[in-house]
C-alpha cells in the first residue's frame, strides 16, 4: 500500500460574529485562486467579512509553511467553505413591559490551502486553461 503525502493544510475559524450568507459572498471570490492574489483581493474588497477571512488565509499559509515547509508562492486556496454557527439570542426591552428578540448569527469558516509544487501534474492544466482560454481568443483576447 502506497501512502500519499498530505498536501492540504487547513485553518478553521469558529463562532465568527457575522452571517454565513455575508461571508459566503467573499469566500466565493477567492476559492481556487493563488495565495498572493487572494490577499490582494481581500485587502481591496469593501466588506467586513474580508478581515476575518484575511486572517484565516494568512493563518493557513503560516500553517503550511511551518508544517510542510511550503513556499507561499506555490499555495492555492483549494477549499473554502462557510457553515452556519450558533445564533446568539438576546432580549431588548420595549414599551409596556414587552421584549423584542435580537438574533446575532455566527458562522464557521474553513480555509484549505494546497501546495501545487507537490501536485504539479494535477493543477497545471487548470492554471494553464485560466491563463490561456481558447474560447476567448487566446492570451490577450484577440481572435
Amino acid at each position: 500500500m502506497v501512502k500519499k503525502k498530505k498536501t492540504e493544510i487547513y485553518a478553521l475559524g469558529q463562532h465568527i460574529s457575522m452571517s454565513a450568507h455575508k461571508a459566503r459572498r467573499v469566500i466565493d471570490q477567492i476559492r481556487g485562486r493563488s495565495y498572493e492574489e487572494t490577499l490582494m483581493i481581500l485587502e481591496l474588497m469593501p466588506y467586513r467579512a474580508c478581515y476575518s477571512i484575511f486572517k484565516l488565509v494568512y493563518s493557513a499559509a503560516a500553517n503550511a509553511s511551518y508544517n510542510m515547509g511550503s513556499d507561499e508562492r506555490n499555495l492555492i486556496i483549494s477549499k473554502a467553505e462557510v457553515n452556519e454557527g450558533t445564533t446568539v439570542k438576546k432580549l431588548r426591552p420595549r414599551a409596556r413591559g414587552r421584549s423584542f428578540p435580537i438574533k446575532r448569527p455566527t458562522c464557521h469558516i474553513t480555509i484549505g490551502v494546497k501546495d501545487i509544487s507537490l501536485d504539479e501534474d494535477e493543477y497545471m492544466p487548470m492554471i494553464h486553461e485560466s491563463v490561456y482560454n481558447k474560447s476567448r481568443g487566446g492570451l490577450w483576447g484577440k481572435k
Side-chain angles (χ1 to χ4, degrees):
M1 187 168 114
V2 178
K3 281 190 171 181
K4 284 190 173 183
K5 188 176 180 182
K6 183 180 174 187
T7 59
E8 195 168 42
I9 301 292
Y10 295 99
L12 178 65
Q14 291 186 325
H15 305 290
I16 297 173
S17 179
M18 77 180 63
S19 169
H21 181 64
K22 292 179 182 178
R24 277 191 199 109
R25 175 172 59 184
V26 177
I27 287 287
D28 290 339
Q29 298 296 319
I30 66 167
R31 191 177 291 121
R33 296 186 186 263
S34 69
Y35 169 71
E36 294 172 341
E37 187 180 2
T38 299
L39 292 184
M40 287 191 300
I41 288 171
L42 290 174
E43 285 179 359
L44 297 174
M45 287 181 86
Y47 303 118
R48 186 174 72 99
C50 291
Y51 180 69
S52 301
I53 295 170
F54 180 86
K55 290 199 308 185
L56 281 170
V57 169
Y58 194 79
S59 175
N63 290 344
S65 65
Y66 182 77
N67 293 336
M68 294 193 326
S70 300
D71 189 14
E72 292 176 347
R73 289 174 286 180
N74 296 330
L75 296 177
I76 63 164
I77 310 298
S78 61
K79 180 181 179 182
E81 64 180 25
V82 179
N83 298 320
E84 289 184 9
T86 58
T87 302
V88 179
K89 297 175 184 172
K90 298 189 241 177
L91 293 176
R92 180 179 181 93
R94 303 303 284 175
R96 298 177 148 197
R98 296 190 176 117
S99 62
F100 186 77
I102 296 174
K103 296 177 184 173
R104 301 236 15 216
T106 61
C107 65
H108 307 312
I109 302 174
T110 305
I111 302 288
V113 294
K114 192 172 250 189
D115 192 350
I116 59 172
S117 65
L118 301 175
D119 294 336
E120 283 189 20
D121 54 336
E122 183 181 339
Y123 283 101
M124 287 309 281
M126 183 179 74
I127 293 172
H128 186 264
E129 285 178 17
S130 66
V131 173
Y132 183 78
N133 193 347
K134 292 180 182 177
S135 66
R136 293 190 180 169
L139 194 58
W140 294 280
K142 297 177 183 174
K143 291 188 178 182

